[in-house]
Amino acid sequence: MTPGQRGDGSRDVEPIEGRPWISRMSTPSSRVKRIIAVIGALAIIGVAVPLFISLFTGGGSDDDAAQAPSSLPPVTSVARSAEPMYSSPGECVSLTATDRGITPQKSSCTAAGFTFIVASALQQASDDCGVGQYSQLTQPGFGKLCIVPNFSAGECYSVPSATGTLVDFRAAPCNAAAADRTQVIRVQGRAPAATIDCPGGQVVSFAKPSALSYCIAPAT
């Protein structure tokens, strides 16, 4: 009886050529063991890599994400006043919501109530405010104002999301609940410079009409 052949003449294994006492039936078993070992190694890597990334990139829980620094998206609104909104870079404007839309008015930059600093005044409503987070107030037929929120350091504000309107910018108590399409932020610092030291917050900078940077963070 040859290797791999049962007494009844049937064969359950096939000898490997040159190695008559090692059957091919053993090969799949070894291969399965190797596959299991590889799968085990991949499982370890699958756990270790996210852990490594979490440790070295600051990954954390959902609670950590909720405390992430706030953003300050640029907002676009349309002015509905009958008169053209003449303003020069560096001047400030206040905005009032009426039944006709938003009405701009020149204002002192230190006036009570929320104001915006005019970064640039464009003659055409289709003109671009350029690179940066400038909000835009467009007046059909008269042009566009590229504006910067006039925040004070140490104060809290309600600010709109990208789908909000410019009149959603307003001073607010730091513990105020955010209204729809808004968030409440704390302005931790303000500097007439291209950047600002901002540990734990987010830097928002503007180049026009002159360098201005804010450090903002969630109000609570």
Side-chain angles (χ1 to χ4, degrees), residues 42-115:
L42 290 175
I44 294 173
I45 293 172
V47 173
V49 169
L51 178 60
F52 178 88
I53 292 174
S54 176
L55 289 174
F56 288 90
T57 62
S61 65
D62 291 340
D63 291 339
D64 294 333
Q67 297 301 317
S70 299
S71 62
L72 190 65
V75 180
T76 298
S77 293
V78 178
R80 298 296 183 187
S81 57
E83 298 297 323
M85 48 186 189
Y86 295 125
S87 294
S88 300
E91 294 180 338
C92 285
V93 294
S94 60
L95 305 179
T96 303
T98 68
D99 56 356
R100 299 184 58 200
I102 295 177
T103 300
Q105 184 176 2
K106 285 187 181 182
S107 177
S108 167
C109 293
T110 58
F114 196 85
T115 60

Side-chain angles (χ1 to χ4, degrees), residues 2-220:
T2 61
Q5 184 175 14
R6 292 205 282 270
D8 60 1
S10 63
R11 184 181 296 274
D12 57 354
V13 297
E14 180 182 354
I16 297 177
E17 184 178 354
R19 303 173 70 183
W21 306 113
I22 302 178
S23 73
R24 295 189 186 276
M25 287 292 289
S26 66
T27 303
S29 177
S30 299
R31 185 173 301 160
V32 168
K33 290 179 179 179
R34 288 196 298 271
I35 292 173
I36 292 173
V38 170
I39 292 174
L42 290 175
I44 294 173
I45 293 172
V47 173
V49 169
L51 178 60
F52 178 88
I53 292 174
S54 176
L55 289 174
F56 288 90
T57 62
S61 65
D62 291 340
D63 291 339
D64 294 333
Q67 297 301 317
S70 299
S71 62
L72 190 65
V75 180
T76 298
S77 293
V78 178
R80 298 296 183 187
S81 57
E83 298 297 323
M85 48 186 189
Y86 295 125
S87 294
S88 300
E91 294 180 338
C92 285
V93 294
S94 60
L95 305 179
T96 303
T98 68
D99 56 356
R100 299 184 58 200
I102 295 177
T103 300
Q105 184 176 2
K106 285 187 181 182
S107 177
S108 167
C109 293
T110 58
F114 196 85
T115 60
F116 295 85
I117 305 167
V118 177
S120 56
L122 307 178
Q123 294 184 350
Q124 302 296 326
S126 58
D127 289 345
D128 190 358
C129 286
V131 177
Q133 293 182 290
Y134 303 101
S135 291
Q136 303 176 22
L137 181 62
T138 300
Q139 187 176 21
F142 292 108
K144 175 187 294 182
L145 294 181
C146 305
I147 54 180
V148 174
N150 188 19
F151 294 136
S152 295
E155 300 296 328
C156 291
Y157 297 90
S158 172
V159 300
S161 67
T163 57
T165 68
L166 289 170
V167 293
D168 291 327
F169 280 96
R170 62 176 65 91
C174 293
N175 61 354
D180 186 35
R181 299 186 303 178
T182 70
Q183 60 179 324
V184 179
I185 63 165
R186 181 191 302 273
V187 179
Q188 298 186 154
R190 170 176 172 153
T195 189
I196 185 173
D197 186 32
C198 190
Q202 177 177 318
V203 175
V204 180
S205 297
F206 302 92
K208 299 181 293 185
S210 58
L212 177 62
S213 294
Y214 295 113
C215 173
I216 65 172
T220 56

